[in-house]
Amino acid sequence: MLAREAETLLAAGKTPEACDKLEESQTLDPRGATLLDLALCREKEGRLGTAYLLFDQAEKVASDEKRTDRANTARGHKKDMYLKVPRVTIVVPKEVVVDGMEVRVGLAANARALNIVPSSEWGKAFPVDPGDLKVMVTAPAKATWEQTFDLKQGGRRTITVAALKAGD
């Protein structure tokens, strides 16, 4: 039902709304085909980092399902997008790491939906959507550290986290 609504929205040129319907459908009833459709939708929407990660997931699911057609589609889109996808590297020096530290990154306009960056990914470049981005670092009993910046298609940026100050 939601996937059909997404098709109607896409046909009407309402790409963000269609992508949201596909995401809801995938959350409620995960399917390889829906995951691939969501990746294609996010790519069309211009959310390149999100699309790239979704294509990566879709390729793995399709391979597990022995769906070489879907795996090839996902792989082809990833290859075509590779140089276009903006990437951020977040460096957290050992001396600033504190227990419970959480690093998030995402589009500044949607600060409530910033993605958690696992500590295993600190210091590694990872795909993000182009636009005004925000890095937010929190930890118990510490003040929040934030940095915003603009990153265009294909851009690269390294952000070094400063020591967190004592919080209230």
Side-chain angles (χ1 to χ4, degrees), residues 46-48 50 86 88 104-115 128-136 146-153 155 157 159:
R47 294 189 49 195
L48 302 180
T50 299
V88 171
R104 293 176 172 267
V105 66
L107 293 172
N110 195 4
R112 290 180 299 148
L114 298 179
N115 297 310
V128 293
D129 294 331
D132 290 325
L133 298 164
K134 176 185 274 191
V135 174
M136 184 169 69
E146 295 182 357
Q147 186 167 352
T148 57
F149 55 96
D150 184 49
L151 197 57
K152 304 283 187 231
Q153 181 174 304
R157 183 77 178 253
I159 302 294

Side-chain angles (χ1 to χ4, degrees):
M1 181 80 147
L2 289 169
R4 277 187 242 128
E5 289 178 38
E7 287 177 26
T8 302
L9 288 166
L10 270 175
K14 297 180 179 180
T15 304
E17 294 89 343
C19 295
D20 291 345
K21 289 287 183 190
L22 286 168
E23 190 168 334
E24 186 179 350
S25 176
Q26 183 64 14
T27 300
L28 295 172
D29 185 18
R31 295 176 183 260
T34 306
L35 184 59
L36 184 56
D37 287 344
L38 177 58
L40 292 164
C41 193
R42 292 298 185 200
E43 180 183 25
K44 183 175 183 175
E45 185 183 19
R47 294 189 49 195
L48 302 180
T50 299
Y52 190 87
L53 294 170
L54 289 167
F55 280 126
D56 192 51
Q57 291 174 15
E59 180 183 1
K60 289 173 185 162
V61 169
S63 293
D64 290 346
E65 294 175 346
K66 308 280 191 258
R67 291 297 307 259
T68 56
D69 55 332
R70 290 184 193 152
N72 289 339
T73 297
R75 191 176 310 109
H77 279 267
K78 278 179 29 187
K79 182 179 176 189
D80 291 345
M81 296 174 66
Y82 186 78
L83 294 177
K84 297 176 190 173
V85 177
R87 287 183 171 70
V88 171
T89 303
I90 299 177
V91 176
V92 184
K94 288 180 183 178
E95 62 272 12
V96 306
V97 174
V98 295
D99 287 339
M101 179 178 270
E102 187 173 85
V103 177
R104 293 176 172 267
V105 66
L107 293 172
N110 195 4
R112 290 180 299 148
L114 298 179
N115 297 310
I116 294 174
V117 180
S119 59
S120 62
E121 296 301 307
W122 297 351
K124 299 177 186 175
F126 57 89
V128 293
D129 294 331
D132 290 325
L133 298 164
K134 176 185 274 191
V135 174
M136 184 169 69
V137 182
T138 58
K142 298 289 184 180
T144 299
W145 181 91
E146 295 182 357
Q147 186 167 352
T148 57
F149 55 96
D150 184 49
L151 197 57
K152 304 283 187 231
Q153 181 174 304
R156 305 288 185 263
R157 183 77 178 253
T158 298
I159 302 294
T160 302
V161 175
L164 301 181
K165 297 179 180 172
D168 298 328

